Every structure is written in C-alpha cells, then in structure tokens.
Amino acid sequence: MGRGGALSESVVKKVLLSYAYVAIWIFLSFTVIVFNKYILDRKMFNWPFPISLTMIHMAFCSSIAYLLVSVFKLVEPVSMSRELYLKSVVPIGLLYSLSLWFSNSAYIFLSVSFIQMLKALMPVAVYSIGVLFKKDAFRSETMLNMISISIGVAIAAYGEAKFDSWGVLLQLLAVAFEATRLVLIQILLGAKGISLNPITSLYYVAPCCFVFLCVPWLIVEYPLLRDTSSFHLDFLIFGTNSLCAFALNLAVFLLVGKTSALTMNVAGVVKDWLLIAFSWSVIKDTVTPINLLGYALAFLGVAYYNHAKLQGLKAAEAQKKAQQADEEAGRLLEERESDGSGKKSETQD
C-alpha cells in the first residue's frame, strides 16, 4: 500500500509539473505577443519599428546566451566547425531573422486574434515544405487535412472585419519562412546529429540574425528613427519586453525537455484561443462569427493533425520496442545455443 501510494504520488507530481511547464509557456508566449502588439501598434505605445524591436531582442538574447554558455559555463556548447556554421547555422539564421521581422511587422496592420488564426497555417506550411524537400512522404489523407485547415483560415480571413492585405501578406511570409527554417533545422543539423536547445540555439543563431537584420534596418528604419528622434528608448518597457522574450525561450526548453514538442503544439492551440478571447474582450478587436467559424474549422484540422502525429509516434515507439525485444530474444537464443554446443563438446571429451 505504501509503495502504491508513493508511486501514485510520484505520478501526480510529474503530471502537476507538466501542467506547470505548460502554464508557464502559455503565460510567457501570451505576454510576449501582447507586449509586442502594445509596442508596435500605432494606437498604443506607437513605436512602429519591427526590425528595431527584433534587433533589440536578438542583442539581448545573444548577450544572455553568451554569459550562460561562455562565461558562467551553465550550458554546454555544441562542437561546431566554421564550415558547419556557415553552411547550416547561417541559412537558418537568415530565415529566422526574416520570420521574426515579418511576424512583428504584421502586428502593426492586423489584430492579435486574426494573426493567431493565420498562424494555424503553420502545419500546412511545414508539411508542404517537408514534402518539397523530401523530408516528409506525401499522403493523400494528410494533404486533405491540410486543405481543411487552409479552408478554415480562408473563411476566417473572409470574415475579418479589419482585413489588411499587406498585413496578411507579411504574416503569410512569416509562416513560410518559419516553416522553411523548421524543416532546414532537421535537414542541416538533425541529419548531422547536432541538437540545439533554445539556449545554444540563441548562442549560435541570434548574433547571425542581428547581423542580417542590420541591412534592412539601415535602409528602412534608421532614416525614420533618425528623423523622428525615436532613438530615445524607454529602458523599462524594452528591457522588460526583451527579458520576457528570453524567458520564453527558457520556457520552451523546459516544456519540450520535460514533456514533448507535441505537448507544446497542443498548448499552442489553447494559447491561441486565449489570445483570441483577450483580443476581443480587452483590446476590443472585432471578432466576427465567421471569424470564429473559420478558425474552429482550422482548429479541428490542427487537432486532428496533432492526434495523427501522436499515433504515428506511438506506432514508431511500439515498433522500436518490438525490434529491441526481437534482438534480445535472438541474442539469448544464440547464447543458449553456444552454451549447449560447449556442454556437448565437454561430454565428448
């Protein structure tokens, strides 16, 4: 009884910790999105410089990651040659900088709720690009699921009260670049056996992003900042915002490390609904019934996609265990046969 009680207590503790990690990630992801919207929106803080904001994040995250990896040695660096960095990390950094630039730019033109609806296209983009790069196999059932998600997002876009074509284009480009980045991480790093956690990822990728962003910043935003004297930053606002962005990366590390990437996907759906509710009730963004109908359809498609992935992971795990059991049985049989032949030779002697 004591042993069973201890076991159930351990299970309850693990479940509670998992929920705590999910709650922390949802809170920080929610906070960063709303905070970015507050800073960039012309009706709120009115600092519409998305490249500058992204560069501040990258500079802050690079500095903290450098301290954690190189100075305090709290995180182990990855063994990486210059050639590998240039061929693998630099392209990923370029895609990441474009994804962050365009996604932050979208907050100037679109509501938080509509942006979350457009982000439901992420599985569609990841799967399509995965098939294009031959990382995923084409399956008719999966493609039908992707089409259902796309139709749901199209209905949500049709029902959007404050539709802005430029903002939609920016967000779709952000989704496309982010999906390409995720697939390239598997191809360029995963295939070489290199795994980057959020801290080492920032350590290697964030400086690269900062350098890439300097080019459009000098052309697009620097002249405006210079002319409007917007260089005078509110260190409390931008410092807190950058700290939240870095904390979000730590939360991703905790959530994926202690649970799974699939858990984060499911938590992401919960976060999106919360953001839509917050956008409607607090920010007073208009959310129409057609918006909700379209997103509900896309949500069902994403939920089915996550369920299918979970079943696929379970099947792969079961196959792996069965293979290990077969190998173990074969090894035991070989040992038994060798023991039998040894005893037989001793009898003959």
Side-chain angles (χ1 to χ4, degrees), residues 202-220:
L202 287 173
Y203 178 75
Y204 291 108
V205 177
C208 186
C209 287
F210 184 88
V211 172
F212 279 123
L213 288 168
C214 283
V215 177
W217 181 77
L218 287 169
I219 299 168
V220 178

Side-chain angles (χ1 to χ4, degrees), residues 30-50:
F30 184 101
T31 302
V32 168
I33 288 169
V34 173
F35 212 153
N36 286 352
K37 173 67 175 176
Y38 168 75
I39 290 172
L40 295 166
D41 197 296
R42 297 181 190 279
K43 296 177 183 177
M44 298 182 191
F45 190 74
N46 191 26
W47 201 74
F49 301 104

Side-chain angles (χ1 to χ4, degrees), residues 62-78 197 199-200 203-204 253:
S62 297
S63 303
I64 300 296
Y66 178 79
L67 290 173
L68 291 174
V69 175
S70 296
V71 178
F72 298 114
K73 312 287 185 184
L74 295 174
V75 180
E76 192 71 26
V78 175
N197 64 46
I199 305 303
T200 51
Y203 178 75
Y204 291 108
F253 178 58

